[in-house]
Amino acid sequence: MKPFYLLFCLTLLSSAVQAQKAVIIKSPAALPENTTRLKIFLGGSIDMGNAEDWQHTVETRLSDEEVILLNPRRDDWNKEWKPVSTDTHFRNQVEWELNALEKADIIIMFLAPGSQSPVSLLELGLYARTHKLMVVCPEGFWRKGNVDIVCEKYSIETYSELHILLEALKEKIRKHHG
């Protein structure tokens, strides 16, 4: 009976591993080197952990895709960390995000209604000319007009809702895999 039980458990474990093809890398984990997988940065509203965890929705919806998701939302974020360059934890977070943005092939950005997301606006400006961005900026985001104008000027793909962006992203992933 024990060999059957062991084989059963190994089969279940194998199924679970195969079911999730996406690799999720959260800050502060090391970023990937030398990979052919698409690297997708999950930029947008976090607001020090106060914004909805839309990144989890993205991780779930893309779990069956062969991609690397670079998620800056930390499970261990400490609100006591000071947003100054001399705070080691804060500096490491910012540097991780900057490095992840550089490595990303695609940057998706969700700017949640009711949030301000100043860092995301900075990142939008930094990457507006790269053709890496896909943006969702619904009604209710405090600087929607600014975002819309920047996206229009630099031909950034915009979507009215996250699920629509994710469908377009899945199509890009399919094209990448040929």
Side-chain angles (χ1 to χ4, degrees):
M1 188 71 163
K2 286 184 182 180
F4 172 76
Y5 181 72
L6 180 61
L7 182 60
F8 177 73
C9 290
L10 287 173
T11 303
L12 282 177
L13 180 60
S14 173
S15 297
V17 170
Q18 290 175 0
Q20 182 163 348
K21 296 180 186 176
V23 174
I24 300 166
I25 300 175
K26 288 188 166 190
S27 176
L31 295 168
E33 300 289 336
N34 305 321
T35 180
T36 58
R37 283 185 177 216
L38 273 177
K39 293 172 293 302
I40 302 166
F41 184 84
L42 309 185
S45 300
I46 296 177
D47 290 349
M48 306 291 273
N50 294 321
E52 72 171 285
D53 189 358
W54 63 269
Q55 294 90 347
H56 179 72
T57 301
V58 173
E59 291 172 355
T60 301
R61 293 279 309 275
L62 297 180
S63 66
D64 61 339
E65 302 291 342
E66 292 187 30
V67 296
I68 297 173
L69 301 175
L70 305 172
N71 186 351
R73 184 185 284 264
R74 292 178 69 127
D75 294 328
D76 64 345
W77 181 257
N78 183 338
K79 293 181 181 185
E80 298 300 314
W81 296 342
K82 303 286 184 236
V84 295
S85 63
T86 55
D87 185 300
T88 305
H89 297 291
F90 181 76
R91 174 178 283 280
N92 290 341
Q93 176 68 22
V94 172
E95 289 175 351
W96 186 94
E97 289 184 35
L98 291 170
N99 291 330
L101 284 159
E102 286 179 9
K103 288 183 178 284
D105 301 300
I106 298 171
I107 300 167
I108 65 171
M109 189 166 290
F110 175 75
L111 301 167
S115 71
Q116 292 195 341
S117 308
V119 173
S120 299
L121 293 174
L122 173 66
E123 293 166 348
L124 175 67
L126 283 171
Y127 285 89
R129 295 177 187 247
T130 65
H131 304 290
K132 289 183 173 188
L133 283 162
M134 300 173 75
V135 175
V136 176
C137 186
E139 293 296 331
F141 183 72
W142 78 298
R143 290 290 186 245
K144 178 173 175 40
N146 295 79
V147 172
D148 290 344
I149 293 166
V150 168
C151 290
E152 183 181 312
K153 177 160 181 71
Y154 296 105
S155 301
I156 297 169
E157 299 172 41
T158 60
Y159 304 87
S160 59
E161 297 180 36
L162 184 60
H163 72 92
I164 298 170
L165 179 145
L166 289 172
E167 289 307 313
L169 180 56
K170 284 184 174 194
E171 185 58 33
K172 283 186 180 214
I173 294 167
R174 281 189 276 282
K175 286 180 181 176
H176 175 76
H177 293 304

